[in-house]
Amino acid sequence: FFINEIEIPGGEFTAGAVEQDRRAEPDEESRKVEVRAFYIDRFLVTNGQYRVYLEDMKIPKSEYPDFWDDSADKENHPVVGVSQKEAQTYAQWLNTLFDIKKRLPTENEWEKAARGGMEGIYPWGDESPENNVRANYNGNNRYDGTSPVGSFENGVNAFGLFDMAGNVWQWISTPSGEESADGPAKVIVKGGSW
């Protein structure tokens, strides 16, 4: 229920924009980076998984994530309204519960995982998601909001990861580099939401 990880091989890869991506922003310039092998979850964290955490930790309902009331009938949908700190606390809870070492991926790790060992525009390659079979996005006419995790089998990348584009943004551990008195002024999210 909680552990469904895939090992991502270490090594060098090209991060940032790929040559064929005509919509890439200037700050997405391609660069060579190297990462060590790591594990990442195959699916997004669901409301059902997060509910177990909330109840086990006896989190008061007044501190539940934003939009939680909207997710009552969506146990298999990804949890939303969770801050980066809350996501990190959830990972720590899993570590204690299962004696494992979960954490948010770095930006480079996330991108290596999302690319699936390829240099495509999207996790599945260069084909547009506009045919409604690869990713959940606003206007795809399949869902009016998030979709159950793993709904888009044609959007699975070569590593077997689901929802690396569309559905919901995903937290990473890399700060934006901009600092305020309270820490990072901005945080980086990946993947793109519906």
Side-chain angles (χ1 to χ4, degrees):
F1 185 68
F2 287 105
I3 311 299
N4 196 341
E5 297 177 320
I6 292 179
E7 184 175 10
I8 307 301
E12 186 177 85
F13 76 103
T14 303
V18 292
E19 185 177 329
Q20 64 271 27
D21 189 355
R22 302 291 175 234
R23 298 182 333 164
E25 298 291 327
D27 64 347
E28 296 177 293
E29 185 175 328
S30 66
R31 63 199 188 287
K32 292 287 185 191
V33 297
E34 188 162 338
V35 298
R36 292 182 180 179
F38 63 98
Y39 287 88
I40 194 164
D41 286 352
R42 185 173 188 196
F43 300 103
L44 302 169
V45 175
T46 66
N47 291 316
Q49 292 168 319
Y50 204 74
R51 180 184 311 281
V52 173
Y53 157 74
L54 293 170
E55 292 171 355
D56 186 57
M57 295 298 292
K58 298 177 178 34
I59 306 289
K61 290 199 185 262
S62 62
E63 295 178 25
Y64 277 25
D66 290 342
F67 314 110
W68 187 256
D69 292 339
D70 296 343
S71 61
D73 296 328
K74 298 179 179 180
E75 289 290 306
N76 292 333
H77 286 243
V79 65
V80 298
V82 174
S83 71
Q84 184 188 42
K85 183 175 180 167
E86 289 169 325
Q88 290 168 329
T89 303
Y90 174 79
Q92 291 168 356
W93 172 76
L94 288 174
N95 292 341
T96 302
L97 193 65
F98 295 109
D99 194 27
I100 56 176
K101 295 187 184 312
K102 283 211 178 264
R103 61 176 173 76
L104 297 177
T106 66
E107 180 177 20
N108 289 337
E109 288 171 340
W110 188 95
E111 193 159 337
K112 169 99 179 193
R115 287 189 183 276
M118 304 182 321
E119 290 195 16
I121 297 172
Y122 302 101
W124 54 83
D126 290 334
E127 301 87 6
S128 170
E130 293 178 1
N131 60 7
N132 299 333
V133 298
R134 291 190 175 85
N136 185 21
Y137 59 91
N138 191 10
N140 73 0
N141 300 320
R142 280 185 68 182
Y143 297 97
D144 185 25
T146 61
S147 59
V149 298
S151 293
F152 291 87
E153 290 188 19
N154 291 321
V156 175
N157 73 9
F159 290 147
L161 302 174
F162 285 80
D163 294 316
M164 296 303 281
N167 217 3
V168 295
W169 292 110
Q170 298 175 42
W171 290 117
I172 60 170
S173 62
T174 307
S176 67
E178 300 174 27
E179 293 288 325
S180 73
D182 298 324
K186 295 180 181 177
V187 292
I188 299 171
V189 292
K190 294 297 221 176
S193 72
W194 70 272

